[in-house]
Amino acid sequence: MNYPFKKIGCLVFCLVVFVSSIANAQNKKSSMPENQQLAIAESKSMVEKYQTTDPNQATQFLNKIAFIYWEYGYNKEAIDYFKRSLSINENIGNNNAITMINHNIGSLYSDIGNFDEALKYYYKTLEIRKIKKDKEGIASAWLTIADTYTKTKQYDKAVQILENDALKAVKELGNEELIRNCYGRLTENYEKMGNAEKSIQYFKFFTMLDENLRKETEEENQRKVLEAQLKTKLAEAEKIAKEGELLNKDKKLAASETEMQKMNQQKQRQQQQLVILKQKQDKAQLQLENQRKEIEIDKLVQRSLVGGLAFVFLLVFVAVFAYQQKKKAGMKLALQNAEIMQQKEEILTQRDNMERQGQELQKTYHEVKEANSKITGSINYARRIQESMLPDEEALQALIPESFILLRPRDIISGDYYWFTQVDDGKIIFTAADCTGHGVPGALLTMIGFNLLNEIVQNRHITSPELILRDLHKGVRKALKQEETENRDGMDLALCTWHPEKKILEYAGANNPLIIIQNNELHYLRTDKHAIGGMQKEQERLFTKQEIKIDQPTALYSFSDGYADQFGGSEGRKFTIKALKELLLEIHQKPMQEQKEILDVTMMKWKGSKHKQIDDILMIGMRIG
C-alpha cells in the first residue's frame, strides 16, 4: 500500500535536486558582473564579423572570451573558446599564439583536475618551443610538466624529467634562480618518494644557491637605493644649476630694465629743468619789458641778446647730453639683446645637433643589432655542428659507467674539447684539451684536433699517449702551416690510455696535468712544459709517458685551466688549482654524477652575478680500477 507513496516521494526528491542544480547554475552565471557578460556578448558578435574576413582578429576576440570565462571560474567554457581559437591559429600558422593557447588549455585542465589532458597540451607546448629553439620556453615547459607529475603523485616521472631535462635546460640558460628552483623541486619529490639521501643532496645544492641569491638580492637592493639617492641628488643639482642659469639671465634683464628706468627718470628731470628754464626765461623777459622804460634801448638789446645766446647754448647742451645718454643706453640694451639671441641660437643649434646625432646613433644601433643577429645565427649553427661532433656523456658512461663530462663554454661555442675511443684490444683512450683562445677561433682548432686524433688512433693504430701527442703536434703545425707563417696557435691537453685488463693507466701531458686520488691521497701528475703546435725550437718535440698501476678504486680527473682561473668570491680573486684539489679530495668518494653537480654549483656560486666567465670550463671525471 505504501509503495506508490514512496515512489512519488522519490520523484519529488529528484525534482527538487534538479531544480536546485538549475538554480545553482543560474546563481553561478549571475555572479559574473553585467559589464563582463556584455563584453562576452560584444566579443561573440565581433567573432562572427571577422571569422571569414580577418581570422587573426577573430582569434583575439575568442581569446578574450576565454580569459573572461577563466577569470570567473567557467573553466569548461574557457577551454571550448580556447580550442576554437587554437583551431583557427593552426590554420593560419600563428605559432606564437598556438604555443600560448596550448599552455592555457593545459593549465585549465590542470585546474579542473584532468591532469592527463593537461599533460597532453603541455607536451604540445614543449614541442613547438623546441622547434622555435626557445630556450626559456623549453625550460619553463619542462618545469610545468614536472610539477604536473608531482600533483598526480608520479614522483618518479617528475624526478626523471627534472634531472634529465629541466635541470639541463635551466643550466644552459645560466639562470641561477631557475636552477635553485629546480633543486628545490627535486628535494621535494625525493622526500615524497622516501629517498632521504637524494633529498638531502639536492637540498644542499638548493641552500648553496639560495644563500648566494639572497646575498645578491640584498646587494642589488642596496645598489638601487644608492642609485635612487644619487639620481635625486643629481636632479636637485641640475635643478639648482638651471635655476642659477635662469637667475643670471633674469639679473641681466633686470639690470637692463633698471638702467632704462634710470635713463627715463634722467630724461624726465631734464624735461622738468627745461620747463623751469622756460619759466625763468619768461620771467626775465617780463622783467626786461618792465625795465625797458628805465633802461636805454641799446642796453636792453645787448642784455636780451646775451640772455638769448645763453639760453640757446644751454638748450643745445642739454639736448646733446640727453641724446648721448639715450644712445649709450640703447647700444647697451642692443648688445644685451644680441647676446641673448646668440645664446638662444647656440642652444637651438645644440638641440638640432643632438637630435641628428640621436638619429644617427639609432640608425647605427639597428645596423649593429641586425649584423649581430646574423653573426649570432651563424655562431649558433657552428655550435650545433660542434655538438654533433663531440660524443655525448652517455657514450663515455657506456665505456666507463662511473664517469662524467662537465663542459661550460664561455661563449656560444667552445675552444675546449674532449675526445675518447675504445680500440680493438679493449684499451680506452681519452683526453681533455684546451685550445688557444675561445669562441670561434678556439672552436676551429677543436675541429682540427678532433679529426687529427681520429686519424692517428683509428687509422694509424697508434695508442701510446706520448706517440699520439708527438704526431698530433706535427699534424697541428702542418695544418696551420706554422713552418711557413708566424702562426703560434695550438692546444694543451692531458692524454690517457687505460688498460682495463692489465689495470695500468698510461699518461702523457702537453701543458696539462692529471689528478688521481687513491686511498684518500691526491696525486698531481706533472706535465711536459710544451704545447701541441706553436713555436718549436728543438729538433723534434717529444713527450714523456708515465705509467700508473691502478690496483684499487681510483678517481681520475682531466681538465682545462678554466675552472681554476675563474675569478669570483667576495674578493674577486681566482679559484686556484689549490682550491680545486681540496674540493676534488673532499668529494671524490661521492657518485660521479653528484660530483659533477657539486662542481657545477660551486662554480656558479663562486662567480655569482658580479663576475663573468673568463674562459671555457672543461673537466672529465671517472672512477676506474
Side-chain angles (χ1 to χ4, degrees):
M1 290 291 289
N2 292 330
Y3 175 73
F5 293 104
K6 289 182 180 178
K7 188 174 183 181
I8 291 169
C10 185
L11 289 171
V12 169
F13 174 76
C14 292
L15 183 61
V16 169
V17 171
F18 177 71
V19 171
S20 175
S21 65
I22 293 173
N24 287 335
Q26 292 298 325
N27 289 334
K28 184 181 178 184
K29 290 186 178 180
S30 64
S31 66
M32 184 184 294
E34 290 185 8
N35 64 328
Q36 296 296 338
Q37 294 181 24
L38 181 61
I40 287 175
E42 290 176 351
S43 297
K44 286 180 178 179
S45 65
M46 298 305 289
V47 170
E48 295 299 325
K49 177 180 177 181
Y50 290 112
Q51 193 151 12
T52 55
T53 59
D54 190 350
N56 189 49
Q57 192 74 11
T59 61
Q60 294 181 24
F61 285 105
L62 286 168
N63 292 337
K64 181 178 179 181
I65 295 169
F67 277 119
I68 294 173
Y69 276 132
W70 193 357
E71 181 181 357
Y72 289 95
Y74 291 69
N75 292 344
K76 291 184 179 178
E77 289 85 346
I79 290 171
D80 290 340
Y81 278 94
F82 271 136
K83 285 184 175 179
R84 286 180 61 183
S85 176
L86 179 62
S87 176
I88 296 172
N89 278 297
E90 285 175 342
N91 288 335
I92 62 178
N94 187 348
N95 283 332
N96 288 332
I98 294 169
T99 306
M100 181 270 292
I101 294 169
N102 273 312
H103 180 79
N104 290 342
I105 295 173
S107 298
L108 279 161
Y109 274 122
S110 180
D111 288 348
I112 63 177
N114 191 341
F115 296 112
D116 289 339
E117 284 296 308
L119 286 169
K120 171 184 170 184
Y121 283 94
Y122 286 149
Y123 274 111
K124 287 183 179 180
T125 304
L126 175 64
E127 291 307 315
I128 297 170
R129 286 174 174 170
K130 283 182 177 179
I131 293 170
K132 292 166 63 180
K133 295 181 174 59
D134 176 9
K135 289 187 176 181
E136 291 184 7
I138 292 168
S140 174
W142 279 124
L143 289 171
T144 303
I145 291 168
D147 288 344
T148 306
Y149 279 121
T150 302
K151 289 177 184 177
T152 60
K153 299 183 180 180
Q154 299 181 68
Y155 305 123
D156 54 340
K157 288 186 178 180
V159 163
Q160 183 181 358
I161 287 170
L162 287 168
E163 288 186 332
N164 297 338
D165 303 301
L167 195 56
K168 180 182 177 182
V170 296
K171 283 185 177 180
E172 283 185 4
L173 284 175
N175 187 320
E176 285 190 35
E177 187 173 355
L178 285 179
I179 296 170
R180 178 200 63 181
N181 294 343
C182 199
Y183 286 141
R185 287 174 167 89
L186 282 163
T187 301
E188 178 187 356
N189 280 280
Y190 271 120
E191 181 183 5
K192 290 178 178 176
M193 290 171 67
N195 190 334
E197 183 181 353
K198 295 292 283 186
S199 179
I200 292 169
Q201 174 191 326
Y202 281 112
F203 182 70
K204 287 179 181 177
F205 296 151
F206 173 84
T207 52
M208 286 173 68
L209 289 181
D210 188 58
E211 289 172 4
N212 204 43
L213 286 168
R214 277 208 307 272
K215 183 179 178 183
E216 289 178 2
T217 302
E218 289 172 3
E219 291 175 353
E220 180 66 16
N221 290 337
Q222 291 176 357
R223 185 184 65 78
K224 287 181 179 178
V225 170
L226 290 173
E227 281 185 358
Q229 291 174 349
L230 181 60
K231 286 179 181 177
T232 302
K233 289 180 180 178
L234 287 173
E236 289 175 356
E238 288 177 2
K239 183 179 178 183
I240 291 169
K242 288 180 180 178
E243 288 176 351
E245 189 178 337
L246 292 172
L247 184 60
N248 288 335
K249 291 184 179 178
D250 289 342
K251 284 181 179 179
K252 289 182 180 179
L253 290 172
S256 300
E257 291 175 357
T258 303
E259 192 70 26
M260 287 293 294
Q261 288 175 357
K262 287 181 180 179
M263 292 175 62
N264 289 333
Q265 289 173 358
Q266 188 175 0
K267 184 178 178 183
Q268 288 175 358
R269 285 197 299 270
Q270 290 170 352
Q271 289 175 347
Q272 289 173 357
Q273 289 174 355
L274 288 172
V275 171
I276 292 169
L277 288 171
K278 193 170 185 297
Q279 289 174 351
K280 288 181 179 180
Q281 182 189 10
D282 292 341
K283 186 176 180 181
Q285 286 178 348
L286 182 60
Q287 288 175 351
L288 287 172
E289 287 176 1
N290 291 334
Q291 293 174 358
R292 187 174 53 181
K293 295 178 181 180
E294 299 176 359
I295 303 171
E296 294 177 358
I297 295 175
D298 55 342
K299 290 182 179 180
L300 179 62
V301 171
Q302 289 176 0
R303 289 176 181 174
S304 298
L305 182 60
V306 171
L309 289 171
F311 171 74
V312 170
F313 177 76
L314 183 62
L315 186 65
V316 169
F317 175 76
V318 170
V320 169
F321 180 77
Y323 172 73
Q324 287 177 343
Q325 292 297 319
K326 186 175 180 181
K327 186 177 180 182
K328 285 181 181 179
M331 289 178 66
K332 190 173 183 180
L333 185 61
L335 287 171
Q336 289 175 345
N337 287 335
E339 185 179 349
I340 292 170
M341 290 300 294
Q342 184 180 1
Q343 290 175 351
K344 182 180 178 182
E345 288 295 328
E346 289 174 355
I347 291 170
L348 290 174
T349 302
Q350 289 175 357
R351 185 198 66 187
D352 293 341
N353 288 337
M354 288 176 69
E355 288 179 355
R356 186 167 58 255
Q357 289 172 359
Q359 291 171 356
E360 291 174 356
L361 285 172
Q362 190 74 9
K363 181 182 177 183
T364 305
Y365 167 75
H366 287 301
E367 290 174 352
V368 171
K369 185 178 179 181
E370 183 179 356
N372 184 59
S373 177
K374 291 179 180 178
I375 293 168
T376 303
S378 298
I379 295 174
N380 280 322
Y381 186 70
R383 175 178 60 83
R384 290 195 293 274
I385 294 173
Q386 188 182 55
E387 287 177 349
S388 65
M389 177 188 75
L390 295 174
D392 54 29
E393 190 177 57
E394 287 76 11
L396 178 61
Q397 289 169 350
L399 299 176
I400 304 173
E402 268 289 278
S403 60
F404 71 78
I405 299 170
L406 176 62
L407 176 62
R408 293 286 176 264
R410 194 200 79 162
D411 303 312
I412 298 173
I413 51 180
S414 175
D416 290 359
Y417 73 98
Y418 56 88
W419 177 91
F420 56 85
T421 189
Q422 185 173 34
V423 293
D424 293 339
D425 59 359
K427 289 182 286 191
I428 298 171
I429 306 169
F430 58 89
T431 185
D434 182 358
C435 297
T436 304
H438 35 71
V440 175
L444 291 173
L445 283 173
T446 69
M447 303 283 284
I448 293 173
F450 197 90
N451 290 327
L452 283 172
L453 285 169
N454 282 333
E455 166 67 20
I456 294 165
V457 176
Q458 302 291 355
N459 296 340
R460 301 183 202 167
H461 306 292
I462 297 172
T463 60
S464 190
E466 82 284 5
L467 300 180
I468 296 173
L469 293 185
R470 180 199 64 189
D471 284 13
L472 180 62
H473 172 71
K474 292 177 181 178
V476 169
R477 283 181 57 80
K478 182 178 179 182
L480 299 179
K481 299 181 179 179
Q482 291 182 339
E483 292 284 355
E484 308 161 17
T485 67
E486 295 182 359
N487 183 285
R488 295 293 178 264
D489 294 323
M491 59 191 73
D492 301 332
L493 69 157
L495 193 139
C496 298
T497 300
W498 165 234
H499 301 256
E501 293 182 0
K502 297 180 181 179
K503 302 294 183 182
I504 291 175
L505 178 72
E506 296 175 343
Y507 156 73
N511 270 341
N512 246 28
L514 185 73
I515 290 178
I516 63 172
I517 303 176
Q518 292 179 326
N519 286 331
N520 291 324
E521 290 185 7
L522 185 144
H523 302 276
Y524 188 75
L525 302 187
R526 299 291 175 177
T527 174
D528 288 311
K529 295 296 182 181
H530 36 240
I532 299 297
M535 184 180 294
Q536 178 181 323
K537 295 180 179 179
E538 65 271 33
Q539 183 76 21
E540 182 180 14
R541 180 155 298 178
L542 301 175
F543 295 89
T544 307
K545 179 174 75 171
Q546 302 180 46
E547 288 191 3
I548 305 98
K549 183 67 175 177
I550 307 295
D551 53 4
Q552 56 190 310
T554 301
L556 178 151
Y557 305 93
S558 179
F559 47 88
S560 65
D561 58 6
Y563 201 103
D565 287 348
Q566 176 61 45
F567 289 97
S570 57
E571 299 177 2
R573 57 182 177 79
K574 286 186 178 182
F575 191 83
T576 72
I577 190 67
K578 179 183 176 183
L580 179 58
K581 289 178 183 178
E582 292 172 353
L583 176 60
L584 291 175
L585 188 59
E586 179 185 344
I587 67 173
H588 78 279
Q589 292 182 341
K590 296 181 182 293
M592 280 293 163
Q593 281 302 306
E594 186 177 343
Q595 290 187 47
K596 177 182 177 181
E597 288 295 325
I598 292 171
L599 288 163
D600 204 10
V601 172
T602 301
M603 181 48 59
M604 283 190 289
K605 186 177 178 181
W606 174 254
K607 65 185 181 67
S609 60
K610 291 183 180 179
H611 302 280
K612 292 184 178 179
Q613 187 172 328
I614 63 167
D615 198 359
D616 301 315
I617 293 174
L618 171 64
M619 183 177 296
I620 297 176
M622 60 184 68
R623 184 171 285 110
I624 56 177

